[in-house]
Amino acid sequence: MTPALNAKDGVSVRLIEKVWFKNHQAKYWLVPLLLPITGLFYLISLVRRLAFRLGLLKSYKVAAPVIVVGNISVGGNGKTPVVIHLVELAKTLGLKPGVISRGYGSQADIYPYLLDEKSTSYQAGDEPLLIYQRCNIPVVIGADRVANAEKLIEHGCNIVISDDGLQHYRLQRDLELVIIDAKRLFGNGLLLPAGPLREGTWRLKEADLIIYNGNNSDHTKQLVSKPLFMTLAGCELIQVTTGEKMLLPDFIQQWQIVNAIAGIGEPQRFFDTLQTLGFDLATQQGFIDHKNFTVNDFVEFKADLPLLMTEKDAVKCRGFAQKNWWYLPVSAQFSEQDKDVLIQSINSFKV
């Protein structure tokens, strides 16, 4: 079953994604229509990069190492699980990490905004709240990433991890990690809005580490000599409101047939994961990324079946979730060799 998308959530968004990633026939009229805007986007991006390189626009170095985890394309590539993985690695190395984020869709009263136990997804955005609740470390959001980083340092952090912000050149960085969806790759290879790219694939050569979410080694060898590879894995389901946990085999033994929703960059990835784990999906519904859910979005799901969602969706549904709503937390998994590369990179910052 193909994930549905409500018209109110923007069918045009799904159409453009089909043009970008699925070679939809609309490309024959939509791409030519958008190419002039793409040319303008390229010019603005080029001038901006040159301005930073020539010192016409000032960049700032803060008093702690900065790791940027970003991508060159739009959509969910797996940045947040990598950020969480880096946080945990930094902790094991004796560092005090903090995370900064733009906080897409957030409505805080003041910025930079430091999350606390009372923060909501409305104030902070879904991904920052997820990171804060999962990692229990300082998280600061706001458009000014330099100010965000400085606020983290004020609160005792000695390493800053930026969730996204690869193109935010105002903040100097000590390490760049670019995350790539190995399935969707770079779509049609064009810059926004005719394609999904914020910057061309040439940008990969400037990054310190390239991490592929999934494995597409035939393609990676053409662009990156030594990429890292990760997979996303989960072993349990957690009830959205109570926090009750069940191991996947035990859950599947009781409820193999389930409903599923996902409001992420690539909803089908989540649905495919559930089916790979052994679930049969009675109904699946895909929503736009960063969807602000209301109870009305769930009226069509059968109450006699569990409803499974991503952790990112769950942080926005706790206020009205039902007892049969569960989420699947996932973690980034690396080979020992690739994990050592990450550890060595972080270790290089220790004094």
Side-chain angles (χ1 to χ4, degrees):
M1 182 184 300
T2 301
L5 182 69
N6 294 336
K8 63 183 178 181
D9 290 326
V11 174
S12 61
V13 174
R14 299 298 289 172
L15 175 60
I16 194 63
E17 288 180 354
K18 289 177 181 178
V19 169
W20 290 345
F21 297 109
K22 301 183 185 299
N23 203 28
H24 191 275
Q25 61 181 6
K27 68 179 182 180
Y28 295 111
W29 61 267
L30 188 53
V31 169
L33 190 66
L34 295 174
L35 278 177
I37 307 176
T38 291
L40 181 61
F41 176 82
Y42 171 75
L43 273 177
I44 293 172
S45 300
L46 177 62
V47 169
R48 183 170 171 272
R49 283 195 302 269
L50 286 174
F52 276 108
R53 287 186 179 181
L54 296 174
L56 301 176
L57 291 177
K58 188 175 180 180
S59 63
Y60 296 84
K61 183 170 180 59
V62 297
V66 174
I67 301 176
V68 170
V69 181
N71 54 30
I72 62 171
S73 64
V74 299
N77 292 347
K79 296 188 305 298
T80 300
V82 173
V83 168
I84 292 171
H85 189 77
L86 292 175
V87 166
E88 299 304 327
L89 285 180
K91 285 181 178 179
T92 63
L93 295 172
L95 295 166
K96 297 178 181 179
V99 172
I100 61 173
S101 171
R102 173 65 178 85
Y104 181 87
S106 64
Q107 299 291 328
D109 293 331
I110 189 171
Y111 295 96
Y113 175 70
L114 176 68
L115 276 66
D116 59 33
E117 64 276 2
K118 296 180 181 179
S119 297
T120 65
S121 61
Y122 175 81
Q123 294 171 306
D126 46 23
E127 290 166 351
L129 185 61
L130 185 163
I131 293 168
Y132 175 78
Q133 293 179 346
R134 175 86 82 93
C135 300
N136 192 29
I137 46 96
V139 176
V140 175
I141 65 166
D144 187 343
R145 292 179 184 267
V146 174
N148 295 350
E150 290 175 340
K151 194 172 186 69
L152 281 184
I153 295 168
E154 290 173 6
H155 282 78
C157 296
N158 56 14
I159 185 167
V160 175
I161 302 173
S162 178
D163 183 10
D164 212 351
L166 187 69
Q167 290 78 32
H168 190 94
Y169 293 111
R170 185 167 171 268
L171 175 63
Q172 294 182 24
R173 64 286 313 266
D174 300 273
L175 185 70
E176 285 188 340
L177 282 67
V178 175
I179 317 303
I180 298 171
D181 184 332
K183 181 180 178 181
R184 298 196 300 172
L185 294 172
F186 312 107
N188 60 15
L190 299 174
L191 294 178
L192 290 166
L197 299 186
R198 300 168 177 174
E199 295 180 291
T201 54
W202 58 266
R203 184 65 172 81
L204 301 179
K205 300 183 185 299
E206 296 185 355
D208 297 289
L209 295 173
I210 307 297
I211 299 176
Y212 278 80
N213 182 3
N215 196 336
N216 194 338
S217 56
D218 290 341
H219 186 86
T220 60
K221 291 175 182 176
Q222 302 173 23
L223 296 171
V224 185
S225 59
K226 293 182 180 180
L228 306 184
F229 296 94
M230 75 167 184
T231 56
L232 299 179
C235 63
E236 62 185 7
L237 284 160
I238 302 177
Q239 207 281 331
V240 175
T241 55
T242 67
E244 175 191 353
K245 298 179 180 180
M246 283 190 68
L247 293 175
L248 277 167
D250 297 334
F251 195 99
I252 293 174
Q253 188 173 7
Q254 292 190 44
W255 299 289
Q256 184 175 7
I257 302 175
V258 298
N259 296 317
I261 66 102
I264 57 177
E266 175 58 15
Q268 192 59 45
R269 179 187 287 274
F270 179 64
F271 304 138
D272 291 343
T273 296
L274 293 179
Q275 291 175 315
T276 299
L277 290 171
F279 288 106
D280 292 327
L281 304 186
T283 306
Q284 61 189 61
Q285 178 95 28
F287 295 89
I288 57 172
D289 199 9
H290 304 289
K291 161 73 175 173
N292 289 318
F293 291 106
T294 69
V295 68
N296 293 330
D297 294 312
F298 301 90
V299 294
E300 297 180 4
F301 291 101
K302 296 180 180 179
D304 58 337
L305 293 177
L307 176 64
L308 306 190
M309 63 184 65
T310 71
E311 186 175 9
K312 178 176 167 179
D313 297 319
V315 300
K316 295 176 287 189
C317 296
R318 287 199 172 96
F320 52 84
Q322 305 298 312
K323 64 181 181 179
N324 64 338
W325 293 12
W326 299 73
Y327 69 88
L328 176 69
V330 295
S331 299
Q333 305 289 322
F334 292 87
S335 69
E336 287 301 317
Q337 181 179 359
D338 287 354
K339 184 177 178 180
D340 285 343
V341 172
L342 293 174
I343 290 174
Q344 291 171 16
S345 298
I346 298 173
N347 246 334
S348 65
F349 301 133
K350 295 179 67 175
V351 179

